[in-house]
Amino acid sequence: GSHDSFSYWVDEKSPVGPDQATAIKRLARISLVRKIIKKWSVTQNLTFKEQLEGGIRYFDLRVSSKPGEIGQEIYFIHGLFGIKVWDGLKEMNTFLEQHPKEVIFLDFNHFYAMDDSHHHFLINRIHSAFESKLCCVECVEYVTLLYMWEKKHQVLIFYHHPLYQEYPFLWPGNKMPAPWANTTNVHKLLQFLETTLEERSRYGTFHVSQAILTPRVKTIARHLVRGLKNTLVHR
């Protein structure tokens, strides 16, 4: 799996996203500040197609409308706006068409500036992109690769919003728990991963291990220009 899977490209010319604090939004009117935000927002250097070709099968997705924009278009977001969700879904579907035995997990776990009409718009986009490839909610233990191949399913969608109940192809977010260490310390991260692996539910859910370090405000303040990759990733 990959973290903030879509953030190989973010638009530093667009306004800062609604996932950011008001103070950051004010500061980000300065273009240099948006450049710094980009250094801390980009967590990938591979497109969806390249990630899929590299073996990534679980995608961590955060999405948002663009406040003030006419229509209900939804974009990926991490500090700054990324590509349209629709473009990302089409790219994934092209890969699945070419590889009919591959299965992917799409985890929509953060939503910003979205009311119910935005959600319905996004869910319809998801259905339009994958159609019969979508696996409806089932007992987790039944969902083997053989089961998926027999049904010709290739996509499991996890949707962390109550509207999942209205659509049989949306799995509830609690079927994909993803405990988060929220630390900049490698030793603490490893301890957390060991503990949560031992404590995870034996049955009834999938499970994500977030093997990532997370910058704090002071981390960013001390290493503004270095960015996420040089400050934490190599560690």
Side-chain angles (χ1 to χ4, degrees):
S2 59
H3 176 67
D4 287 316
S5 307
F6 48 85
S7 63
Y8 50 87
W9 180 83
V10 290
D11 184 4
E12 64 183 81
K13 294 188 176 122
S14 78
V16 171
D19 59 335
Q20 294 300 300
T22 307
I24 302 285
K25 289 178 191 168
R26 287 193 189 121
L27 279 172
R29 289 169 188 159
I30 307 162
S31 63
L32 176 63
V33 173
R34 287 202 296 276
K35 282 185 166 63
I36 290 168
I37 292 172
K38 182 176 181 179
K39 281 200 165 195
W40 289 92
S41 295
V42 170
T43 62
Q44 308 297 328
N45 57 12
L46 301 179
T47 65
F48 282 132
K49 179 173 183 282
E50 290 165 338
Q51 288 182 57
L52 286 161
E53 287 169 348
I56 296 297
R57 294 294 177 269
Y58 166 85
F59 293 86
D60 164 34
L61 307 174
R62 295 134 199 256
V63 299
S64 177
S65 71
K66 269 191 188 171
E69 184 178 83
I70 295 169
Q72 294 172 307
E73 197 62 67
I74 305 297
Y75 298 81
F76 294 117
I77 192 167
H78 189 223
L80 297 164
F81 286 98
I83 65 171
K84 291 177 182 175
V85 172
W86 176 241
D87 292 337
L89 298 179
K90 285 192 296 183
E91 194 176 345
M92 290 178 178
N93 189 59
T94 299
F95 176 86
L96 295 174
E97 294 277 345
Q98 294 162 356
H99 303 87
K101 284 198 161 183
E102 293 299 330
V103 173
I104 62 172
F105 299 79
L106 303 186
D107 191 359
F108 288 85
N109 52 55
H110 286 71
F111 304 97
Y112 300 96
M114 289 175 61
D115 58 25
D116 282 2
S117 66
H118 289 108
H119 280 284
H120 288 301
F121 178 86
L122 172 58
I123 293 163
N124 287 330
R125 285 293 213 194
I126 291 167
H127 188 262
S128 297
F130 300 118
E131 295 182 337
S132 63
K133 294 184 185 72
L134 293 164
C135 176
C136 288
V137 179
E138 182 53 272
C139 170
V140 167
E141 282 66 41
Y142 293 167
V143 186
T144 62
L145 280 174
L146 191 59
Y147 171 92
M148 297 292 280
W149 294 339
E150 285 173 351
K151 302 265 187 187
K152 293 189 165 46
H153 294 330
Q154 292 181 268
V155 186
L156 285 86
I157 305 286
F158 297 85
Y159 206 82
H160 297 240
H161 186 277
L163 276 174
Y164 80 84
Q165 297 170 73
E166 295 183 21
Y167 297 86
F169 58 85
L170 296 182
W171 292 63
N174 63 12
K175 292 289 183 188
M176 186 62 88
W180 171 45
N182 192 16
T183 181
T184 57
N185 183 298
V186 176
H187 178 65
K188 283 182 183 170
L189 172 65
L190 293 173
Q191 273 189 323
F192 177 85
L193 291 170
E194 298 233 352
T195 304
T196 50
L197 268 179
E198 287 169 9
E199 291 175 349
R200 71 176 172 171
S201 174
R202 296 262 174 229
Y203 304 101
T205 74
F206 296 94
H207 182 86
V208 177
S209 291
Q210 294 205 46
I212 53 163
L213 297 175
T214 305
R216 303 186 187 287
V217 172
K218 65 181 181 185
T219 318
I220 297 171
R222 284 177 188 159
H223 307 281
L224 269 182
V225 182
R226 290 188 63 188
L228 182 68
K229 187 173 180 181
N230 293 326
T231 307
L232 290 182
V233 174
H234 297 306
R235 242 198 273 170

